[in-house]
Amino acid sequence: MKIFVVHGDKRHELESDPDDGAEVLKMQISSVTDIDAEKMVVTGLGNGALHDTADLVALGMREGHVLTVREGAVPAAAPPTNMERLLGNEIQLLKKDGTSITVAGLPKEGVIGLYFSAHWCPPCRGFTPKLAEAYNKIRSDGKALEIVFVSSDKDEGAFAAYHAEQPWLALPFAQRGLKNALSNMFEIKGIPSLVLLDAATGKTITKDGRQVISADPEGRNFPWKTAGAASAPAAGAGLNVNALAAALQQATQQKKTQQEVQREQGMAQMTSRIHSGCNHVLIYDRPDVRAQAMQHIPADEIRKRAKENPKNLGPRDAVVRHLLAWFKHEHFKWVNNAPCDACGSKKTKNAGGDQPNAQEKTWMAGVVELYKCEDCQHVTRFPRINHPGKLMETRRGRCGEWANAFTLCCICMGYEARHVVDWTDHVWTEVYSEDQQRWIHCDACEDRWDGPLLYCEGWKKKLTYCIAFSKEEVVDVTCRYTRQWDLCKARRTLCPELWLQEFIYSVSMQRRASLPPARQQLLSARWEQEQKELEPRNWVKPANWEDGEALPGRTTGSWEWRAARGELGNGDAAAAG
């Protein structure tokens, strides 16, 4: 970049790199004017000082810029900008090519976006290209937009690879303290998130920049001042990186609040339940358990029924559909009160519970329900068995036993199946459809095929967490089972959303680590496709979608039991009492 320097009656021409700092330029000027860099007064730069924290472009210089210099008292340094107060003037922001600029180099007007994202997150990888396209279009129109990538990647390598795909700046990966402080300041609950800031004032335009960009990718309404009431972030204005770090340190040293204690307890509870679910599904892969189950599955008959009546499904899906019907109507039985095992009477009443005995523990029973017969006074034990092979022999139970045994049946018949646990107390199965290349909801209790909205729309359940488990992965599938994600998300208070995303992903990666590379690639491709399907913004109403009022309430279990659980829902089931 060519710059002209006027000193007295002399005019000097300098060749400077736009990325050079002010210190380099001062040395160049000193070499042609003999003015001491420490006593150099420059006009043509706003307040007349060359500050070392900015590169030449940040100082407003362009090709052919003219500076006038003289020897004298140097004006005081310019006060820090709002973005310097927010991020700290010593932070170097990385460019895609590996060079960097200081925070002072950010635009002084227009919009600055903080993009919280990570390469491991499929919704992020889906949104990043759209954001890049909007970013390039808006900037090509001469509008002042800059974005800073704030990474939630696992390591510096993943961060660098992901940033290489992005056209904007990035907060260095090493700045974990500042990243955490910004996440807390702007209340980032999940990724991708885009916070839009007024570059001139540092005030927040909106925390939902993702929605703004999706609605206005060409920037027609830039700078989007009406996207939300512009306000300074809570505890954010006037804080530099040192103050933020000090605030974080002070917060960790203070006595934990009740909310923090509950949060840690919730994370511990979530960790325990996910590990428990992961461990349980390993039993489906045991040869002895599969052999035990296959003794009770009329596989040839089920395949014959599927061939004769495919129910408008592909050949493999039809087999699962008939397996589901067989399991519901011919194999498994629902238990309200356990019948008397002495006289066979169904007139029994709950008589409390007991610890499992040695035999019942081999069946993985955690609790035992006791029922006293009104006819013979005998007390019958009803162990809540968790061993799926044994359940195929006993052929009875409630939703936990039903889903457990049916998931094993699907795997025995050669299908990939997942055991789905609903935190509001229900369990079901998902089967991977090779015919449709997606996961299908199967509820053995209700003989329900591909009806994921049954629970929130039909039963009127207020879902929170629905987690699917298999030997190869763990997936949060809650979004498949609700079309009111905002309401559902508000109820998910057990642990931070971003922590849950990262934890589940890390568990899945651990489970896949020992698989052959080809299998890992297949699962990764499926997982990315499923994450797109589960993204609430991507949901499209299917042609065969059932209206919520048309979906039934729960049909299994006594009316009193269903009413107590609030699952009567719509239609005949609700009127049964």
Side-chain angles (χ1 to χ4, degrees), residues 418-437:
R418 302 194 297 208
H419 188 242
V420 184
V421 180
D422 160 27
W423 261 232
T424 60
D425 197 23
H426 190 47
V427 197
W428 59 86
T429 305
E430 286 185 347
V431 177
Y432 189 75
S433 167
E434 294 182 2
D435 295 332
Q436 301 182 50
Q437 294 293 295

Side-chain angles (χ1 to χ4, degrees), residues 174-197:
Q175 292 290 341
R176 296 292 85 191
L178 181 54
K179 176 261 181 186
N180 292 333
L182 291 171
S183 296
N184 291 333
M185 180 186 302
F186 294 106
E187 300 176 329
I188 302 303
K189 304 299 184 184
I191 54 176
S193 288
L194 177 64
V195 177
L196 298 179
L197 306 173

Side-chain angles (χ1 to χ4, degrees), residues 269 273 334 369 384 398-401 403 420-428 443 445 455 459 461-467 554 556 561-562 564-567:
Q269 180 183 338
R273 291 197 67 173
W334 185 270
E369 297 174 6
R384 300 301 304 276
R398 302 195 190 107
C399 53
E401 290 91 342
V420 184
V421 180
D422 160 27
W423 261 232
T424 60
D425 197 23
H426 190 47
V427 197
W428 59 86
D443 190 318
C445 301
Y455 311 116
W459 297 12
K461 284 174 72 72
K462 298 185 184 301
L463 299 176
T464 54
Y465 302 95
C466 301
I467 311 296
R554 186 167 193 157
T556 46
W561 182 77
R562 287 177 284 139
R565 293 166 60 92
E567 296 172 351

Side-chain angles (χ1 to χ4, degrees), residues 324 422 426-428 441-463 480-483 545-556 566-570 573:
L324 188 65
D422 160 27
H426 190 47
V427 197
W428 59 86
H441 157 253
C442 298
D443 190 318
C445 301
E446 303 290 305
D447 188 19
R448 195 74 182 183
W449 164 269
D450 201 15
L453 298 185
L454 175 67
Y455 311 116
C456 65
E457 302 290 343
W459 297 12
K460 306 303 182 184
K461 284 174 72 72
K462 298 185 184 301
L463 299 176
R480 178 173 292 129
Y481 297 92
T482 180
R483 292 297 167 257
W545 185 73
E546 294 183 82
D547 184 83
E549 294 303 317
L551 289 166
R554 186 167 193 157
T555 62
T556 46
E567 296 172 351
L568 292 174
N570 303 317

Side-chain angles (χ1 to χ4, degrees), residues 94-270:
L94 304 179
K95 295 182 178 180
K96 181 178 179 179
D97 62 6
T99 60
S100 63
I101 68 168
T102 62
V103 174
L106 291 171
K108 307 301 185 295
E109 59 181 22
V111 175
I112 294 172
L114 299 180
Y115 182 40
F116 298 84
S117 184
H119 185 267
W120 58 261
C121 167
C124 296
R125 295 203 301 277
F127 178 65
T128 297
K130 299 175 184 177
L131 179 59
E133 184 177 353
Y135 172 85
N136 291 329
K137 173 66 172 66
I138 292 168
R139 285 170 62 93
S140 70
D141 291 339
K143 298 173 181 175
L145 171 66
E146 188 52 86
I147 292 175
V148 178
F149 168 42
V150 184
S151 171
S152 290
D153 286 297
K154 301 296 184 182
D155 53 54
E156 184 130 17
F159 158 77
Y162 192 29
H163 184 220
E165 302 173 7
Q166 304 171 15
W168 42 73
L169 303 169
L171 185 71
F173 185 79
Q175 292 290 341
R176 296 292 85 191
L178 181 54
K179 176 261 181 186
N180 292 333
L182 291 171
S183 296
N184 291 333
M185 180 186 302
F186 294 106
E187 300 176 329
I188 302 303
K189 304 299 184 184
I191 54 176
S193 288
L194 177 64
V195 177
L196 298 179
L197 306 173
D198 186 322
T201 66
K203 291 184 177 180
T204 305
I205 297 173
T206 179
K207 295 178 184 178
D208 196 7
R210 184 181 176 193
Q211 177 61 36
V212 170
I213 293 295
S214 298
D216 184 25
E218 296 185 355
R220 290 191 175 94
N221 298 319
F222 184 91
W224 306 299
K225 293 298 179 65
T226 59
S231 61
L239 291 179
N240 60 26
V241 65
N242 295 325
L244 283 168
L248 283 176
Q249 184 177 7
Q250 182 181 8
T252 58
Q253 291 173 345
Q254 291 174 346
K255 185 177 179 179
K256 290 177 178 157
T257 65
Q258 185 62 32
Q259 183 179 8
E260 290 172 326
V261 172
Q262 291 175 349
R263 176 186 172 192
E264 291 190 358
Q265 291 175 342
M267 292 167 64
Q269 180 183 338
M270 179 65 74

Side-chain angles (χ1 to χ4, degrees), residues 64-91:
H65 202 95
V66 178
L67 300 175
T68 300
V69 298
R70 63 178 176 81
E71 188 172 0
V74 179
T81 65
N82 283 294
M83 294 311 299
E84 285 179 295
R85 281 193 286 266
L86 180 66
L87 299 175
N89 58 15
E90 64 268 48
I91 295 296

